[in-house]
Amino acid sequence: MKKNVLFIALAAGVLTLSSCASKKSLVACQTENKELTGNLQTTKEQLAATNARMTSLEEQLAEAKRNNSALQRALDKSLTNTSQNNVSIEKLVDQINESNQYIRHLVEVKSKSDSLNMVLTNNLTRSLSKEELSEVDVQVLKGVVYISLADNMLYKSGSYEINSRASQTLSKIAKIIKDYKDYDVLIEGNTDDVPISRENIRNNWDLSCLRASSVVQALQNEYGVDPKRLTAGGRGEYNPLQPNTTELGKQRNRRTQIIITPKLDQFMDLIDKAPEK
């Protein structure tokens, strides 16, 4: 009888300790998820500002070209009007010269940004094998480089742990990131809409954040990327590339994006710098 009581007491103690450990793990996971969500929001705001700045630059360039055309028409009209005084004509010529100079500056800024990103993209795609390129998609949109990696290449099935297949590809991407020190990097996890229920993973939000965090920690700990340049975040099932109505669509949506963008303050300084006189 005493042995049975002792056994029951020991079993109860083990269950209690196990429950406590599970609760601590859950709290830690929830805390990490909250931090990742905050980091994601900050980076999304920075990314949106960068894209807005690129759009503004394109609009400025178009507006400058329209103004230049209007000034040229005014000059042509003045030259055909013999009664127009020379002072007005000289003023128009000066305005056209200033407009041309500003256009050249805007074109130079846009070209520099496009060229840097194209070089970065070319260096990355050249370093990847044909097999890797079939699972890695690289695009440049509005001055931002997007590297999209399939989940089955990166993670163990239904898990956020990185598998052995991913190491070679991540090492190549890490080298590119380290070579371009003036760029920030957002790692963004995405899932399909199939619900997940596992210990310490409540839903697809958790899974996408944990997967992004795994890639960030691999880039930092295994490949030496400066963690100050890295942000991890997840978008769950809410940023699909295709409808989740087919297996192919779900497969495309299960991905992790590595988003490489110029540091916002440096990019703004580049755009706002006045053209040389």
Side-chain angles (χ1 to χ4, degrees), residues 126-145:
R126 278 201 302 266
S127 70
L128 297 174
S129 67
K130 289 183 180 179
E131 182 181 356
E132 288 171 324
L133 284 173
S134 67
E135 297 180 304
V136 178
D137 181 45
V138 183
Q139 295 184 29
V140 178
L141 300 172
K142 290 187 177 293
V144 179
V145 178

Side-chain angles (χ1 to χ4, degrees), residues 17-210:
L17 289 173
S18 176
S19 175
C20 290
S22 179
K23 288 181 179 178
K24 288 180 180 179
S25 179
L26 178 59
V27 170
C29 185
Q30 290 173 336
T31 301
E32 181 184 19
N33 191 22
K34 184 177 180 180
E35 292 175 354
L36 290 174
T37 302
N39 289 338
L40 174 62
Q41 182 60 33
T42 299
T43 304
K44 283 173 64 178
E45 292 171 357
Q46 292 176 342
L47 187 59
T50 300
N51 285 336
R53 202 64 181 171
M54 284 295 295
T55 301
S56 174
L57 176 59
E58 293 170 353
E59 292 173 350
Q60 289 178 54
L61 180 58
E63 180 65 22
K65 288 181 178 179
R66 286 194 294 269
N67 290 340
N68 184 267
S69 297
L71 288 170
Q72 188 65 53
R73 288 195 297 272
L75 177 60
D76 293 341
K77 183 177 180 181
S78 297
L79 290 174
T80 58
N81 187 353
T82 55
S83 63
Q84 184 74 32
N85 61 62
N86 290 333
V87 175
S88 297
I89 293 176
E90 289 177 0
K91 184 177 180 180
L92 281 171
V93 170
D94 288 341
Q95 289 177 335
I96 290 174
N97 288 337
E98 290 178 1
S99 178
N100 283 333
Q101 190 175 11
Y102 184 55
I103 289 174
R104 285 194 295 271
H105 167 66
L106 291 176
V107 170
E108 181 183 350
V109 170
K110 188 174 186 301
S111 297
K112 184 174 181 180
S113 176
D114 291 344
S115 297
L116 283 172
N117 287 325
M118 195 55 63
V119 170
L120 187 157
T121 303
N122 288 339
N123 287 345
L124 176 61
T125 52
R126 278 201 302 266
S127 70
L128 297 174
S129 67
K130 289 183 180 179
E131 182 181 356
E132 288 171 324
L133 284 173
S134 67
E135 297 180 304
V136 178
D137 181 45
V138 183
Q139 295 184 29
V140 178
L141 300 172
K142 290 187 177 293
V144 179
V145 178
Y146 294 84
I147 307 169
S148 185
L149 302 99
D151 74 323
N152 59 355
M153 187 195 78
L154 280 177
Y155 313 105
K156 298 177 182 178
S157 179
S159 170
Y160 56 86
E161 295 181 12
I162 295 177
N163 63 36
S164 56
R165 288 183 58 213
S167 59
Q168 189 173 8
T169 303
L170 285 179
S171 68
K172 294 175 180 178
I173 294 174
K175 184 181 184 305
I176 296 295
I177 292 173
K178 289 165 71 175
D179 287 344
Y180 289 82
K181 301 183 185 301
D182 292 335
Y183 286 69
D184 284 329
V185 183
L186 166 65
I187 313 299
E188 180 185 275
N190 295 268
T191 71
D192 58 25
D193 65 349
V194 178
I196 185 170
S197 179
R198 293 185 56 188
E199 186 179 1
N200 295 333
I201 302 179
R202 294 167 295 179
N203 49 40
N204 283 327
W205 277 116
D206 279 0
L207 179 61
S208 63
C209 289
L210 289 167

